[in-house]
Amino acid sequence: MGGDNALTIPLQAISELIHEIEDVDFVAFGKGNEVPSLIDKTPKFKDRFKFVEVQSVILEDEKPSVALRKSRGTSMSAAIELVAKGDAHAVVSAGNTGALMAIAMYQLKLLESIDRPAILAIIPRLDGRACLLDVGANVMCQSRNLLDFAILGTKFAQVIFDKENPTVGLLNIGKEEIKGSDLVKSSHEALQGSNLNYRGYVEANELLTGDIDVIVTDGFSGNIALKAMEGSGKFCLKAIKLAASKSTLAKLGLILFKFFSPKGAISLDPSEYNGGIFLGLNGIVVKSHGSADVRAFKTSLKHAISLARGDLIALIKKEGVQDD
Amino acid sequence: MGGDNALTIPLQAISELIHEIEDVDFVAFGKGNEVPSLIDKTPKFKDRFKFVEVQSVILEDEKPSVALRKSRGTSMSAAIELVAKGDAHAVVSAGNTGALMAIAMYQLKLLESIDRPAILAIIPRLDGRACLLDVGANVMCQSRNLLDFAILGTKFAQVIFDKENPTVGLLNIGKEEIKGSDLVKSSHEALQGSNLNYRGYVEANELLTGDIDVIVTDGFSGNIALKAMEGSGKFCLKAIKLAASKSTLAKLGLILFKFFSPKGAISLDPSEYNGGIFLGLNGIVVKSHGSADVRAFKTSLKHAISLARGDLIALIKKEGVQDD
């Protein structure tokens, strides 16, 4: 029910996925006035989709602590409860991020030995993908948290990127040992002492062009790095369009380029990377952008499905979070 | 003498500028073995250029405190000294950033009532330019520092962007009052209480696409935001080239587009934004990227010239740093 377009986008995304992917059933929670007209009428859809009507929703600007207190009976809380009870494998929401984290922590609980959960973002690479965490769950962190994030990110990369021994880096403002905050220096030491495949400092300009699979940082820096990259990508595309708008031949060139570029080679479309993955919880939670379109929301749903199929939580539990 | 290409790039940049800009004389400092062969032989150049041979240089990986102790007689120290003595209006270096800041602080001194200097970066916009500071001088900051940065950035934007009352924003990970670190919250209050044209929080995705002229943040976050944008821009260009390399018609389209795009409409070329401007010191200091090419180094020289011509330091001194 969250997100800028309430149920319209999620229902459309579910409808498309039901026709593309087998063996996945969906349950949507929301306020129901407009729902019947939105629901796909095909038999395939009817078999695999259920709508649960709720009485209230959590607003986008609600403080997490307030949202948590008032969460009973909301679409967000009811959806998470389904995972907590073991009746669903994962939950996806485009609603209030802070509230989603607070309610998910309350209902699903943190994994043993994890102090703080993290939000992970998948980022593009010329030759694949990488991931960055935390991108916003924890404004303040300790080195112990960053070590946890590195372990969680490693497990994630094993499942989603299918890498046996993913490389880990620590976001910093330089490569030299003397650079960085106290948090960076103490986390660097902690990571060097771990048995992770730790490769040292990564600068923000190397996130998309480097070769490290898992980059860890605190939630403030990670959020800034992620949004700066998104903004810069959008800016480049706008600048190119603006330049093309000033010359018919330039425009023709751009059309030719777009038309003949091999599809799927590399996508700069942010909708292909939509979805913050909550890690450290005893259940799979994916947060979609509030402004996600159908394609972007489908990406978040697909992340949730892949993580459930890869059984990420069991993998973390089995091998333990703290490496030794 | 600093930078990846020692004197070659700066000398070439100076040579080109001397033929493009009147009324500016240049002095270069370096170890002299290879210099004579590099110096432009035209009379115009001879009249306006002087080379000063020094015995030592500061290395790129030297710790700032160590570099400062050993700085006597180095090219960096001698160049800054020329500004300190009033014999030059500005200094530009492609060398060790930390050493440059330490030596500049020692020789030029901080402006009265400034606790910490900042490094400012000019960033592109579809309809102009904006600036971000601090991008790396101070890993840890207090709200008092961010207020100073906002005042320094405002004066900078008045001189360089020719705006009477530049807008100021504070980098944060969300728009809501409850978001952000303690530093962000206390700086927000300090800025609200100032007489600057303060407009509140700015998210990192709005740096290039928003409408705020001066965005302030601590040096850790600012460095990450700046490098993330640089990396993302480079990634987009690489992705486009890679896509074009896979289809002759796409490549042709790209060539058409590039050839017919209006020149100078919007530049995504990082060399046009090269140069970190040190603010808060009693003198003009511009830091070029170590890897700058001739065009990029010229940009840094031009920044130094514009700031000297706009008499930024006198403007800050005259109006006072602390607004009241």
Side-chain angles (χ1 to χ4, degrees):
Chain A
M1 194 70 198
D4 304 347
N5 301 291
L7 276 165
T8 322
I9 297 284
L11 288 181
Q12 181 64 32
I14 290 171
S15 165
E16 290 186 16
L17 268 190
I18 280 181
H19 292 92
E20 289 167 25
I21 300 180
E22 297 298 323
D23 300 328
V24 183
D25 295 343
F26 296 86
V27 187
F29 296 79
K31 279 176 140 173
N33 301 341
E34 31 166 3
V35 174
S37 68
L38 293 169
I39 291 180
D40 186 335
K41 299 293 185 298
T42 61
K44 199 171 188 180
F45 190 85
K46 272 190 167 168
D47 278 358
R48 289 167 52 193
F49 176 80
K50 201 174 116 188
F51 180 74
V52 177
E53 190 162 348
V54 294
Q55 295 314 311
S56 59
V57 296
I58 285 165
L59 303 175
E60 185 51 40
D61 55 359
E62 211 133 34
K63 240 179 133 159
S65 55
V66 176
L68 178 58
R69 269 202 306 279
K70 303 195 301 186
S71 65
R72 214 182 152 80
T74 60
S75 54
M76 194 182 272
S77 176
I80 296 171
E81 203 182 337
L82 213 62
V83 176
K85 288 197 296 193
D87 292 335
H89 289 93
V91 57
V92 176
S93 168
N96 181 327
T97 309
L100 185 65
M101 182 58 92
I103 300 170
M105 277 177 73
Y106 176 75
Q107 290 209 25
L108 301 174
K109 311 294 177 209
L110 284 170
L111 286 169
E112 210 177 317
S113 90
I114 290 277
D115 285 334
R116 303 273 196 98
I119 304 177
L120 176 146
I122 298 177
I123 55 177
R125 281 285 170 78
L126 289 183
D127 56 355
R129 294 179 296 174
C131 63
L132 175 68
L133 73 163
D134 174 28
V135 297
N138 310 280
V139 167
M140 297 296 293
C141 286
Q142 297 183 308
S143 60
R144 157 71 190 244
N145 306 129
L146 266 64
L147 181 59
D148 283 349
F149 300 166
I151 296 163
L152 292 168
T154 295
K155 305 285 182 206
F156 174 88
Q158 284 170 345
V159 171
I160 296 293
F161 302 156
D162 204 19
K163 295 220 171 178
E164 207 174 306
N165 195 17
T167 50
V168 175
L170 178 61
L171 189 63
N172 196 9
I173 60 170
K175 284 276 194 281
E176 306 85 356
E177 294 278 330
I178 55 158
K179 290 266 174 94
S181 61
D182 292 344
L183 172 66
V184 166
K185 288 173 192 166
S186 59
S187 302
H188 182 57
E189 262 182 44
L191 286 162
Q192 280 178 321
S194 76
N195 60 10
L196 295 166
N197 191 2
Y198 178 60
R199 300 297 177 89
Y201 294 143
V202 171
E203 292 185 72
N205 55 326
E206 301 164 328
L207 288 167
L208 305 183
T209 55
D211 58 359
I212 302 295
D213 300 314
V214 179
I215 301 105
V216 294
T217 185
D218 65 275
F220 192 83
S221 306
N223 190 281
I224 283 176
L226 186 68
K227 285 182 181 160
M229 293 188 293
E230 280 175 11
S232 180
K234 274 189 190 160
F235 175 80
C236 290
L237 297 182
K238 272 189 189 174
I240 289 168
K241 272 184 198 161
L242 187 66
S245 74
K246 295 189 175 170
S247 148
T248 312
L249 284 165
K251 194 180 220 162
L252 180 70
L254 192 61
I255 291 170
L256 260 181
F257 169 74
K258 276 187 178 168
F259 190 81
F260 288 104
S261 291
K263 299 293 158 254
I266 286 150
S267 174
L268 298 176
D269 184 347
S271 71
E272 294 204 10
Y273 302 93
N274 178 47
I277 290 131
F278 290 9
L279 290 180
L281 300 170
N282 203 359
I284 294 162
V285 182
V286 177
K287 165 68 175 68
S288 159
H289 252 293
S291 62
D293 60 11
V294 172
R295 190 143 162 258
F297 199 87
K298 272 170 76 179
T299 304
S300 286
L301 290 171
K302 283 180 193 167
H303 287 332
I305 294 167
S306 301
L307 289 169
R309 286 198 167 138
D311 216 351
L312 180 72
I313 309 294
L315 184 76
I316 296 172
K317 280 185 182 167
K318 193 182 107 203
E319 300 194 16
V321 173
Q322 288 300 324
D323 57 340
D324 41 30
Chain B
M1 194 70 197
D4 303 348
N5 300 291
L7 277 164
T8 321
I9 297 286
L11 289 181
Q12 181 64 33
I14 290 171
S15 166
E16 290 186 15
L17 268 190
I18 279 181
H19 292 93
E20 288 168 25
I21 299 181
E22 298 299 323
D23 302 327
V24 183
D25 295 343
F26 296 86
V27 187
F29 297 79
K31 280 176 142 175
N33 302 341
E34 30 164 5
V35 174
S37 68
L38 293 168
I39 292 180
D40 186 335
K41 298 294 184 295
T42 61
K44 199 171 186 178
F45 191 83
K46 272 189 166 170
D47 280 357
R48 289 167 53 192
F49 175 79
K50 203 174 114 187
F51 179 72
V52 178
E53 191 163 346
V54 294
Q55 295 312 311
S56 59
V57 296
I58 285 165
L59 302 176
E60 186 51 40
D61 55 359
E62 211 132 34
K63 238 179 135 161
S65 54
V66 176
L68 178 59
R69 270 203 304 281
K70 303 195 301 185
S71 64
R72 214 183 151 79
T74 60
S75 55
M76 194 182 270
S77 175
I80 296 171
E81 204 182 336
L82 213 62
V83 176
K85 288 198 295 193
D87 293 335
H89 290 94
V91 57
V92 176
S93 169
N96 181 325
T97 309
L100 185 65
M101 183 57 93
I103 300 170
M105 277 178 74
Y106 177 74
Q107 290 209 25
L108 301 175
K109 312 295 177 208
L110 284 169
L111 286 169
E112 211 178 314
S113 90
I114 290 276
D115 286 335
R116 302 274 195 96
I119 304 178
L120 176 148
I122 298 177
I123 55 176
R125 281 283 169 78
L126 290 183
D127 56 356
R129 294 178 297 174
C131 64
L132 174 69
L133 74 165
D134 174 25
V135 296
N138 310 281
V139 166
M140 297 294 292
C141 285
Q142 297 183 307
S143 59
R144 157 71 190 242
N145 307 128
L146 266 64
L147 181 59
D148 283 350
F149 299 167
I151 296 163
L152 292 168
T154 295
K155 304 286 182 204
F156 174 88
Q158 284 170 346
V159 171
I160 296 293
F161 303 157
D162 204 18
K163 295 219 171 177
E164 209 175 305
N165 195 18
T167 50
V168 174
L170 178 62
L171 189 64
N172 197 9
I173 61 171
K175 284 275 193 283
E176 305 86 355
E177 295 278 328
I178 55 158
K179 289 265 174 96
S181 60
D182 292 343
L183 172 66
V184 165
K185 288 175 192 165
S186 59
S187 303
H188 183 57
E189 262 182 43
L191 286 162
Q192 280 178 321
S194 76
N195 61 10
L196 294 166
N197 191 1
Y198 179 60
R199 300 296 177 88
Y201 295 142
V202 171
E203 292 186 71
N205 54 326
E206 301 164 328
L207 287 168
L208 305 183
T209 55
D211 58 0
I212 302 295
D213 301 314
V214 179
I215 301 104
V216 294
T217 185
D218 66 275
F220 192 84
S221 306
N223 190 280
I224 282 176
L226 185 68
K227 285 182 181 159
M229 293 189 291
E230 280 175 12
S232 180
K234 274 189 190 160
F235 175 80
C236 290
L237 298 182
K238 272 189 190 172
I240 289 168
K241 273 185 196 159
L242 187 66
S245 74
K246 295 190 174 167
S247 148
T248 312
L249 284 166
K251 194 182 223 163
L252 180 69
L254 193 59
I255 291 170
L256 260 182
F257 169 73
K258 276 188 179 168
F259 189 81
F260 289 103
S261 291
K263 297 295 160 253
I266 286 150
S267 175
L268 299 175
D269 184 346
S271 71
E272 294 203 13
Y273 302 94
N274 177 47
I277 290 132
F278 289 10
L279 290 180
L281 300 171
N282 202 357
I284 294 162
V285 182
V286 178
K287 166 66 175 68
S288 159
H289 252 293
S291 63
D293 60 11
V294 172
R295 192 146 158 255
F297 199 86
K298 273 171 76 179
T299 304
S300 286
L301 291 172
K302 285 180 191 167
H303 288 330
I305 294 167
S306 301
L307 290 169
R309 286 199 166 138
D311 216 352
L312 179 72
I313 309 296
L315 184 76
I316 296 172
K317 280 184 182 169
K318 194 182 103 200
E319 300 194 18
V321 172
Q322 287 300 324
D323 58 337
D324 41 31

